[in-house]
Amino acid sequence: MGKITGFLEYRRLQEASEDKASRKRHYREFVLHLSDEEAKIQGARCMDCGTPFCMSGCPVNNLIPDWNDLVYRQDWKTAIETLHSTNNFPEFTGRICPAPCEEACTLRINDDPVGIKSIEHAIIDKAWEEGWVAPRPASHKTGKRVAVIGSGPAGLACAQQLARVGHDVVVFEKNDRIGGLLRYGIPDFKLEKWLIDRRLEQMEAEGVEFRVNHVIGHAPVGAGNKQAKPVSAKKLQAEFDAIVLAGGAEKPRDLPVPGRELDGIHFAMDFLPLQNRRVAGDKNVKELWASGKHVVVIGGGDTGSDCVGTSNRHGAASVTQFELLPMPPDLERNPVWPYWPQRLRTSSSHEEGAERDWSIATKEFIGEKGKVKAIKAVRLEWKDGKMSELPGSEFVIPADLVLLAMGFVSPVQAVLEAFGVEKDPRGNAKATTDGDACYLTSAPKVFAAGDMRRGQSLVVWAIREGRQCARAVDEFLMGFSELPR
């Protein structure tokens, strides 16, 4: 694959990006895809390794060596056909996936891995520019109706696959726009929303119907939407031949310490969607800003990083990010190849400005006149996987705005309860991915995929589960399926 000696001749090339000082003044994407020639050289680095672990490292099992080779040979049209054969939305994954495929790349043992994500980004952007991404409506209709609950990447992937084999698919979304956490969880500077809208136009041309402002039963609505109409689970079960639950893991992990009730302490997903709404042009958006404030983000993952980038764009006085776990090593190579390593990961938002501190536990929120003003914290010592507080290490840090970004514990329970779905010990929909009842829950003709089934995870896992669930639903309805596994 690629050029036999390419990895010996060429170095890995990072995608160009706008200067961090100027990009903090707007919410547009600032990473540029590779030029054709740059992508060709990066594709040449894909070595003839024999066993492409990158494909198993990728949850959707992208045919990575194949399209790397095609880009090297400048056969872009076949490259996008190959990429689309496993991934419905490479413009999403090419921007926001953390690229587990690159950690699994054979070159990662002793060199910089192939820039798989940057090549994927270049392929899909060129495909759209050349007009190669077109609707693929079914040649015939089956007469079967499927309801998909949730319009994030799992729901969209599932809906598109089912529509392409002739089923009538209706996607229900509780918010006022389609996209789920792609729309209201990921900042525009990482994923501009016209990218979602462009795909929705394709899916509508393929026969998918979208219904916004529809919430199942009495499930809570997000992103400040007050127009959502309740939809009866019983009514859906009567009207549709199959139902797919594909909502996100939206219940955030809380931090029950003294002072939690103070004003100025918010979950990340109470903060981030508001800015997305402002960028979209919405009026009368809730006034929650980081401008001029000392911001403390509690949680060191991607959501915390998004809070850092958004706070910097608001003009925060300072941004500090706490992480409970110890600081991971800044590894040059992958010591657990081909598996995902624990390594120090510095995002573009961190580069724009933030103080990061590890092994920190929050002890108390300190307030004044009902508003948070500071955090009392303590340093931790980790030994044999257990933590203990370091005596005499308590400290106080100013905090006018605290953003809790410690992950999500489960999907919205009201949705599962409305359909009478059995849950696993973590509160997710209980459904297996093996055997004859793939993705089928305990409720008749109700399936579950993505975060709703597996818990909080990556966009690429959501797409994989959406695609696999679509095959399971198609098989359930028709007795067989020609959709890919």
Side-chain angles (χ1 to χ4, degrees):
M1 296 298 163
K3 186 178 181 182
I4 293 297
T5 57
F7 67 98
L8 297 173
E9 298 177 36
Y10 307 119
R11 303 306 306 162
R12 177 185 169 99
L13 176 67
Q14 294 295 117
E15 293 172 303
S17 62
E18 186 180 345
D19 174 75
K20 57 189 176 186
S22 61
R23 72 193 189 214
K24 286 197 294 182
R25 295 196 287 266
H26 63 75
Y27 294 90
R28 299 185 303 276
E29 288 183 21
F30 51 81
V31 175
L32 305 176
H33 66 69
L34 302 175
S35 68
D36 288 8
E37 185 61 28
E38 289 170 338
K40 175 181 178 179
I41 291 172
Q42 292 307 296
R45 294 189 71 240
C46 187
M47 61 195 293
D48 189 6
C49 61
T51 304
F53 289 95
C54 56
M55 290 174 59
S56 58
C58 170
V60 293
N61 304 124
N62 276 328
L63 306 175
I64 294 165
D66 299 67
W67 41 259
N68 281 346
D69 182 60
L70 290 163
V71 169
Y72 168 60
R73 301 178 189 283
Q74 296 290 277
D75 185 353
W76 291 90
K77 194 166 186 181
T78 308
I80 185 56
E81 290 169 0
T82 306
L83 178 52
H84 266 150
S85 71
T86 58
N87 186 351
N88 295 65
F89 312 120
E91 64 268 48
F92 304 159
T93 54
R95 286 168 166 81
I96 62 175
C97 180
C101 54
E102 294 188 9
E103 293 292 359
C105 173
T106 304
L107 270 178
R108 192 51 148 165
I109 300 172
N110 63 346
D111 203 346
D112 291 331
V114 173
I116 299 167
K117 181 177 174 181
S118 64
I119 297 172
E120 179 182 32
H121 185 184
I123 293 171
I124 184 58
D125 279 12
K126 186 173 183 68
W128 280 106
E129 290 163 9
E130 296 293 335
W132 297 332
V133 184
R136 291 167 46 195
S139 58
H140 66 279
K141 287 290 189 178
T142 65
K144 302 292 186 180
R145 303 187 73 217
V146 183
V148 176
I149 313 301
S151 68
L156 293 179
C158 185
Q160 185 168 59
Q161 294 293 95
L162 289 169
R164 286 176 172 177
V165 291
H167 302 306
D168 291 319
V169 183
V170 181
V171 176
F172 292 85
E173 169 57 50
K174 66 182 179 182
N175 287 307
D176 57 351
R177 295 183 180 92
I178 294 294
L181 290 178
L182 290 171
R183 174 80 64 180
Y184 285 126
I186 297 170
D188 289 73
F189 55 79
K190 288 174 64 176
L191 180 72
E192 292 186 31
K193 306 317 174 201
W194 61 268
L195 294 161
I196 305 172
D197 296 334
R198 184 172 62 181
R199 275 294 178 184
L200 299 183
E201 289 177 11
Q202 179 198 34
M203 291 177 66
E204 286 178 328
E206 293 171 345
V208 178
E209 179 186 347
F210 296 105
R211 296 183 190 176
V212 297
N213 297 320
H214 285 72
V215 62
I216 305 305
H218 300 288
V221 295
N225 181 24
K226 297 178 180 177
Q227 304 173 43
K229 307 164 191 171
V231 179
S232 162
K234 195 172 182 179
K235 185 172 185 287
L236 292 180
Q237 286 172 313
E239 292 182 358
F240 290 89
D241 299 293
I243 297 165
V244 177
L245 305 181
E250 297 181 52
K251 187 178 179 183
R253 182 173 284 108
D254 207 345
L255 185 58
V257 299
R260 174 63 181 87
E261 75 286 350
L262 292 168
D263 187 25
I265 303 170
H266 302 270
F267 290 117
M269 284 303 159
D270 292 334
F271 173 72
L272 293 173
L274 299 178
Q275 187 55 50
N276 288 12
R277 286 186 170 278
R278 296 183 191 108
V279 174
D282 287 4
K283 306 299 181 185
N284 302 315
V285 178
K286 181 181 175 182
E287 294 294 325
L288 178 55
W289 297 85
S291 312
K293 296 177 180 177
H294 295 291
V295 179
V296 177
V297 179
I298 300 178
D302 289 339
T303 303
S305 169
D306 294 343
C307 289
V308 169
T310 302
S311 296
N312 277 325
R313 282 161 177 74
H314 283 186
S318 68
V319 182
T320 304
Q321 187 174 21
F322 285 166
E323 170 57 62
L324 188 73
L325 297 171
M327 180 178 176
D330 191 7
L331 302 169
E332 187 177 0
R333 304 292 173 229
N334 182 351
V336 294
W337 174 89
Y339 303 107
W340 182 257
Q342 290 298 319
R343 67 164 77 243
L344 179 64
R345 302 179 192 277
T346 300
S347 72
S348 59
S349 293
H350 294 138
E351 292 170 352
E352 293 163 4
E355 291 293 325
R356 303 168 74 187
D357 211 345
W358 286 265
S359 296
I360 301 295
T362 301
K363 299 288 287 182
E364 181 184 354
F365 296 116
I366 301 170
E368 183 180 304
K369 296 181 180 178
K371 295 185 177 180
V372 67
K373 288 297 177 186
I375 292 177
K376 181 187 288 186
V378 65
R379 298 195 176 277
L380 302 172
E381 181 179 45
W382 287 85
K383 191 173 182 180
D384 298 326
K386 297 180 180 179
M387 66 179 187
S388 59
E389 296 180 4
L390 282 172
S393 67
E394 285 193 356
F395 64 96
V396 174
I397 182 173
D400 305 306
L401 175 63
V402 177
L403 300 173
L404 305 180
M406 302 175 295
F408 302 86
V409 295
S410 70
V412 176
Q413 298 298 291
V415 175
L416 302 181
E417 290 161 4
F419 286 99
V421 170
E422 185 181 348
K423 294 177 266 189
D424 68 15
R426 296 184 299 155
N428 303 318
K430 189 175 182 181
T432 180
T433 58
D434 303 313
D436 297 331
C438 245
Y439 293 94
L440 186 63
T441 71
S442 59
K445 68 181 182 182
V446 177
F447 295 75
D451 288 6
M452 186 72 80
R453 189 201 70 83
R454 66 181 289 118
Q456 178 189 353
S457 192
L458 305 176
V459 62
V460 71
W461 272 109
I463 293 172
R464 172 199 171 105
E465 294 223 344
R467 288 172 60 90
Q468 290 188 334
C469 183
R471 178 186 169 89
V473 171
D474 188 35
E475 212 164 36
F476 170 80
L477 295 175
M478 308 302 294
F480 71 97
S481 180
E482 296 180 347
L483 286 170
R485 292 187 183 277

